[in-house]
């Protein structure tokens, strides 16, 4: 997609092509292209409209019904923040008194639009001309053009004295291949600039990869890890006046589908703490808790252990054990029926005896490959079980479990 193609899509003929493409998207691509051409759309416009329609279909899971009017690129969509996460961040910024915000590397504008919806005046800066034009178009489509403007340029040159807060979500993929970048020094804008923002602007938020090394968290910043429906999706550093606690795990559950205005009612649960407490260690007990990945990455397993209450069976492994099942949004609870030192032969024999034909395999602290193990077990039978491959007191161990409902 180039700027001319985007401009063509924003004409009345382009809108008609997009509407026609939306009707055929998701089906056979050759038939879809033939249908648009037979409706009289030029080949170039038809192809651009079909690409957009396909991306919009994929974007519904992230943005809800609003995706139907957005302009998207594949890398922009992959890197964009999902709406439920962006809306929560925007609400927190607004509650902290932020009225003007610079989104330095705004991409297609998912975070900026959420802030604008929360009533914040947003100045977006985006280096890629097509992405910048799309972000502006997305602001117009959402009826937020008066609150969200985009300038195409280098975020490092933006005058941050113009705003009372900055947000930066640096690109973490290479431009050409789209491969993920794991070294923060290779982010764009660069990590030094991103972390330096916190020294220049008292209210700075930085979105980072959830795998961020804790050693890179700036002193005094709050680091927040966010999961959605059990998937770890991002981390954010809340700096300066915005930092409330050292570590936070935000757990968003699967809510009802996003409503017509695109905002979902996903229940949200938060656990906070220092991130350096240690959970007590004890024996394997009747119930095992598998903590949410946001809790694990935020190093808040000790806080969860205190809340349940529960203990570890191995100081380095984040499974928690308790005598009673407690409903918690921060972990999945399973009942332990058997504890075996790991032996393929013994495990296979026991599962045969129980006629277990289906297993889910969870693991922490085990090098075993779940799919290889599943093949090696040669399961047969109607019963189901959960296997947890782990270590207890350093020894490779398998727990046979049954999920606790709820
Ligand atoms: C991770 S994306 C932002 C996604 C955005 N937060 C969203 O949710 O839609 C990062 C963006 O930064 C842009 N970028 C990279 N380096 C930049 C720079 N120095 N100045 C401005 N934008 C830059 C990339 O083109 C990319 O679109």
């Amino acid at each position: 997609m180039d700027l001319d193609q985007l401009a063509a899509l924003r004409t009345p003929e382009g809108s008609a092509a997009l509407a026609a493409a939306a009707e055929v998207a998701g089906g056979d691509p050759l038939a879809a292209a033939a249908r648009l051409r037979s409706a009289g759309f030029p080949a170039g416009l038809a192809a651009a409209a079909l690409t957009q329609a396909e991306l919009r279909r994929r974007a519904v899971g992230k943005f809800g019904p609003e995706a139907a009017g957005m302009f998207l690129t594949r890398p922009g969509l992959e890197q964009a923040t999902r709406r439920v996460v962006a809306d929560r961040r925007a609400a927190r910024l607004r509650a902290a008194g932020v009225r003007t915000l610079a989104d330095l590397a705004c991409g297609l504008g998912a975070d900026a639009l959420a802030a604008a919806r929360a009533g914040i005046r947003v100045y977006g800066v985006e280096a890629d001309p097509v992405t910048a034009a799309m972000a502006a178009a997305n602001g117009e489509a959402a009826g937020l053009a008066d609150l969200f403007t985009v300038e195409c340029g280098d975020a490092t040159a933006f005058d941050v004295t113009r705003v009372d807060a900055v947000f930066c979500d640096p690109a973490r993929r290479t431009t050409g291949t789209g491969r993920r970048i794991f070294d923060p020094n290779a982010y764009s804008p660069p990590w030094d600039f991103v972390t330096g923002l916190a020294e220049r602007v008292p209210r700075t938020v930085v979105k980072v990869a959830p795998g961020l090394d804790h050693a890179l968290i700036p002193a005094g910043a709050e680091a927040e890890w966010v999961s959605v429906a059990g998937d770890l999706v991002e981390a954010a550093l809340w700096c300066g006046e915005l930092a409330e606690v050292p570590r936070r795990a935000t757990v968003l559950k699967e809510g009802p589908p996003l409503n017509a205005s695109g905002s979902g009612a996903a229940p949200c649960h938060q656990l906070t703490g220092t991130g350096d407490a240690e959970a007590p260690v004890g024996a394997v007990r009747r119930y095992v808790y598998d903590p949410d990945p946001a809790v694990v990455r935020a190093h808040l397993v000790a806080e969860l252990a205190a809340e349940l209450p529960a203990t570890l069976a191995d100081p380095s492994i984040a499974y928690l054990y308790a005598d009673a099942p407690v409903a918690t949004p921060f972990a999945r609870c399973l009942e332990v029926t058997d504890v075996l030192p790991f032996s393929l032969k013994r495990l296979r024999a026991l599962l045969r005896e129980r006629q277990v034909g289906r297993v889910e395999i969870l693991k922490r602290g085990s090098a075993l490959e779940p799919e290889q193990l599943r093949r090696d077990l040669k399961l047969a039978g109607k019963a189901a079980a959960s296997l947890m491959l782990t270590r207890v007191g350093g020894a490779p161990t398998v727990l046979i479990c049954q999920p606790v409902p709820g």
Side-chain angles (χ1 to χ4, degrees):
M1 169 82 61
D2 60 27
L3 285 171
D4 289 340
Q5 287 168 320
L6 176 61
L9 284 174
R10 301 192 70 211
T11 62
E13 188 188 26
S15 297
L18 283 166
E23 281 175 23
V24 292
D28 172 22
L30 290 178
R35 175 106 168 258
L36 260 72
R37 281 202 303 275
S38 71
F41 296 110
L45 184 64
L50 284 165
T51 303
Q52 281 306 301
E54 195 46 50
L55 289 169
R56 287 173 172 185
R57 251 170 42 86
R58 282 193 218 165
V60 170
K62 259 191 181 176
F63 303 135
E66 203 173 55
M70 292 180 77
F71 290 94
L72 306 160
T73 62
R74 204 175 306 273
L77 174 59
E78 281 166 8
Q79 295 181 84
T81 303
R82 62 197 73 212
R83 177 147 178 185
V84 67
V85 178
D87 280 349
R88 289 204 67 79
R89 179 160 36 237
R92 180 169 167 188
L93 285 168
R94 175 77 194 198
V98 171
R99 295 292 175 266
T100 55
L101 176 77
D103 184 342
L104 301 181
C106 69
L108 294 170
D111 283 291
L113 289 169
R117 275 193 301 273
I120 298 171
R121 174 70 177 89
V122 187
Y123 300 89
V125 186
E126 168 55 50
D128 176 63
V130 173
T131 308
M134 286 186 169
N138 291 337
E140 283 173 38
L144 293 166
D146 53 339
L147 280 171
F148 173 39
T149 46
V150 185
E151 106 191 24
C152 181
D154 185 350
T156 61
F158 185 85
D159 173 11
V160 291
T161 60
R162 287 169 55 196
V163 288
D164 52 28
V166 295
F167 171 72
C168 185
D169 174 9
R172 289 175 270 122
R173 289 176 191 241
T174 53
T175 331
T177 63
R179 254 181 294 166
R180 275 180 209 278
I181 296 168
F182 294 100
D183 176 7
N185 293 316
Y187 287 180
S188 182
W191 186 242
D192 285 353
F193 165 76
V194 172
T195 48
L197 280 170
E199 285 152 30
R200 295 195 284 143
V201 188
R203 289 185 280 186
T204 293
V205 186
V206 178
K207 177 176 158 183
V208 290
L212 182 81
D213 181 349
H214 281 237
L216 294 175
I217 299 169
E222 169 185 328
E224 176 192 32
W225 277 264
V226 183
S227 69
V228 177
D231 288 333
L232 189 60
V233 294
E234 67 165 65
L237 304 174
W238 297 80
C239 306
E241 294 166 16
L242 295 171
E244 291 175 358
V245 287
R247 302 288 180 269
R248 182 189 303 266
T250 296
V251 171
L252 294 159
K253 295 290 175 189
E254 204 113 50
L258 295 181
N259 61 27
S261 68
S263 73
C268 173
H269 307 272
Q270 297 193 320
L271 190 68
T272 58
T274 59
D276 56 13
E278 287 183 14
V281 180
V284 171
R285 294 193 270 161
R286 182 163 167 194
Y287 294 95
V288 58
Y289 292 87
D290 182 16
D292 184 275
V295 172
V296 177
R297 279 299 306 156
H299 293 183
L300 294 174
V301 173
E303 281 76 356
L304 177 60
E307 191 175 296
L308 286 169
T311 48
L312 300 169
D314 189 294
S316 63
I317 296 184
Y319 285 140
L320 289 164
Y321 300 84
D323 294 327
V326 175
T328 171
F330 300 115
R332 200 173 150 215
C333 181
L334 299 100
E335 183 171 3
V336 181
T337 58
D338 303 87
V339 185
L340 315 176
F342 185 81
S343 146
L344 178 62
K345 221 167 134 189
R346 274 189 69 187
L347 180 61
R348 191 160 47 204
L350 193 59
L351 294 175
R352 286 246 168 100
E353 190 185 305
R354 306 261 169 92
Q355 300 185 350
V356 172
R358 281 174 297 126
V359 289
E360 70 162 339
I361 303 176
L362 311 173
K363 68 167 196 164
R364 284 192 197 279
S366 166
L368 289 168
E369 274 304 322
E371 287 321 307
Q372 183 59 47
L373 175 64
R374 192 189 302 280
R375 284 192 289 275
D376 293 344
L377 285 171
K378 301 188 174 72
L379 299 166
K382 290 212 163 94
S386 303
L387 304 182
M388 296 177 96
L389 310 175
T390 186
R391 286 199 310 269
V392 172
T397 303
V398 57
L399 312 177
I400 304 179
C401 306
Q402 290 297 327
V404 172

